[in-house]
Amino acid sequence: MPLPPLDTIPPDVASLDDYEALARERIEPGAWAYLSGAAADEITLRENRAAFERLRLCPRIFRDLSQANTRLSLFGREYAHPIFIAPTAFHRLFHPSGELATLLGASALETCMTVSTQAGTAIEEITQAATVPPWFQLYIQPDRAFTAELVKRVEAAGCSAIVLTADAPLHGLRNREQRAAFRMPPGFEPVNLRGMETVPPADRVFGSHLLAKAPTWQDLAWLRSHTKLPIILKGVLDPHDALQAASYGVDAIIVSNHGGRTLDTVPAAIEVLPSIAAALQGKLPILMDGGIRRGTDVLKSLALGASAVMVGRPILHGLAAAGATGVAHVLKILRTELEIAMALTGRATLAELDPSVIWPAS
Ligand SMILES: Cc1cc2nc3c(=O)[nH]c(=O)nc-3n(C[C@H](O)[C@H](O)[C@H](O)COP(=O)(O)O)c2cc1C
């Protein structure tokens, strides 16, 4: 039997990895496979961490840190720090209060949360409780008329951007989930998709209705014409796609391999980030996610061209361990670690984070 969420955080919890251990004891094994697993042999999942671990930092001494801060501005809004919450589905699998507990934890640390298309809570309920206007992650649905209505609803609810996920036209091959026989428990549904015409399940890939209706660049143009909200394209790994996204009028991209959950053996997000930053030449802000577990990982991402990062699994670990308090503490640990890493590398602002922070490869 999984343990209940904690009321108070044990004093020996010091890092995000400690939260993973606490979460594991509190999540039923099938849901644990869903949360922590990734595609096929999970090579990309491991590489997301290994690539950060290979990078070394280059500290500078005696820099003026008297005005040090982590503030940034994106799409005309000010954010207190560059650590954002990545969209993840069905938070109620991990805590009875689901997305609302995540939001409460996020608010405590002035963090922007991205709400998944597959959230188990109505978007209006989330935005009403939000102190930082959340972003909404959109999967363009086979039913485009419904998708257009959903976008209107998200705008009316007060979301401040749309994160359009492009790297998952179908579910990755999740062998760990298959082996654990994971099925979404009864009563769990993506409530924001209620009333949508669904595509019949198919036992084949090519020729299925799902692929027949999978989004293309034309759908990005269509979405651009349907909303004034900033569009942030998530799941870009190739510099050509980054440039094409810019030409379609997106406002930012997220360099991401979906936490290793879609196509296995693609490179770590942090590894492709420099080539995308080089291609874009500052045309668009870049965010990135995948494997962020330490403040030094945030620092490295910003040094290599990201304006901000997103965190996926560790937020759910905090949620499962101790609800809103756990989410807030995970964010607090990461933010404090980022500030320490900035101070110890002698960089007072995010603008000072450039490739010179990374020790040159020999
Ligand atoms: C349990 C789980 C559910 C996810 N659901 C979504 C989703 O609904 N939409 C989406 O764009 N990405 C989804 N992702 C991917 C995350 O947004 C993010 O890209 C990834 O988790 C980042 O890697 P990290 O977990 O190492 O931080 C999900 C990830 C996990 C772990």
Side-chain angles (χ1 to χ4, degrees), residues 34-35 86-89 116 118 137 139 165 234 256 258-259 261 289-293 310-314 316:
Y34 169 70
L35 159 57
T88 51
S116 166
Q118 293 181 305
Q137 177 266 322
Y139 282 123
T165 299
K234 176 171 184 276
S256 168
H258 216 110
R261 294 166 77 82
D289 74 17
I292 302 266
R293 301 293 180 269
M310 293 186 131
V311 185
R313 294 179 185 83
L316 299 177

